[in-house]
Amino acid sequence: MSYTRPVIREPYYDCPKWFDNYVHRSEFLTLSGECTSSEVELFLIHLFGYSNTNVDQSMEDTFNELFANESVAILGGVAFFESEEKFIMPSCCCGLEQFREIYNCILNRESPWLGHDPSPGITYKDKMAIVWSDNPDSNDRSDVFHINFKFEEILSCLDKSKYVLKDFIDKPLFEWIYRRDRDTAEKMKARMYEWFL
């Protein structure tokens, strides 16, 4: 059965000096309540870097600078999976902060912005939502593929992905920060809800 997940992509920014350990980098990270401490650190590296937050200061000052942002952007969004081997990632200039917009577009049977280069898109036929790896109008190319969802199923998957993201915020992200500073953990949780949920 096809499914969706919240992800970040290409988290290759500088590591804050106040991190304890080396952080293993990966091309993308699926956010969930199962994320490890190292994966939480990878998320924070990406969030600080993408929002241009100075990480060469104390943890408290770094987070306070981040909290001053009314909104944030972070490369990622919704990934569409048919299996662990066949998936369509959000592309360049698509952000996790667009999660609600993506859901609303699909609810209204519109193709949401999923990035460019490539340019994933969604078409609808009868009771199906068809997610394309690149511009669906260029489906004569051999490298373009698609993943099928029943329309009600894709909405259910997106609802589940929202709760998976909430689980990431409430558990591993909150706990990682809470072990270091309780007030910062509470503020971060509130800001994450505002920015992404």
Side-chain angles (χ1 to χ4, degrees), residues 95-109:
L96 185 63
E97 71 282 357
Q98 296 166 305
F99 192 93
R100 286 172 286 212
E101 295 167 37
I102 292 168
Y103 182 88
N104 289 334
C105 281
I106 293 173
L107 184 63
N108 293 314
R109 291 180 173 262

Side-chain angles (χ1 to χ4, degrees), residues 9-10 75 89-94 113-120 133-135 141:
R9 291 198 46 230
E10 301 174 10
L75 180 60
M89 286 285 142
S91 198
C92 184
C93 300
C94 186
W113 170 255
L114 298 174
H116 66 94
D117 194 24
S119 301
S133 62
D134 203 348
N135 184 344
R141 292 187 5 226

Side-chain angles (χ1 to χ4, degrees), residues 13-14 43-55 66 73:
Y13 292 94
D14 291 337
F43 171 80
L44 289 172
I45 286 170
H46 197 40
L47 183 60
F48 294 141
Y50 223 79
S51 62
N52 221 15
T53 303
N54 179 8
V55 294
L66 181 70

Side-chain angles (χ1 to χ4, degrees), residues 118-182:
S119 301
I122 302 178
T123 58
Y124 303 91
K125 185 175 181 182
D126 301 324
K127 295 182 178 180
M128 299 299 291
I130 304 152
V131 184
W132 296 89
S133 62
D134 203 348
N135 184 344
D137 295 330
S138 63
N139 59 12
D140 56 330
R141 292 187 5 226
S142 61
D143 60 337
V144 175
F145 64 94
H146 65 275
I147 299 173
N148 292 327
F149 288 83
K150 291 178 181 171
F151 184 71
E152 295 303 321
E153 179 185 75
I154 199 169
L155 293 177
S156 174
C157 288
L158 289 167
D159 282 333
K160 184 172 183 181
S161 288
K162 179 180 176 183
Y163 286 102
V164 167
L165 179 57
K166 182 180 180 299
D167 214 27
F168 169 76
I169 296 167
D170 291 349
K171 293 178 183 168
L173 179 62
F174 179 82
E175 289 165 6
W176 188 96
I177 301 169
Y178 189 85
R179 285 193 299 271
R180 290 152 180 84
D181 187 285
R182 293 178 181 186

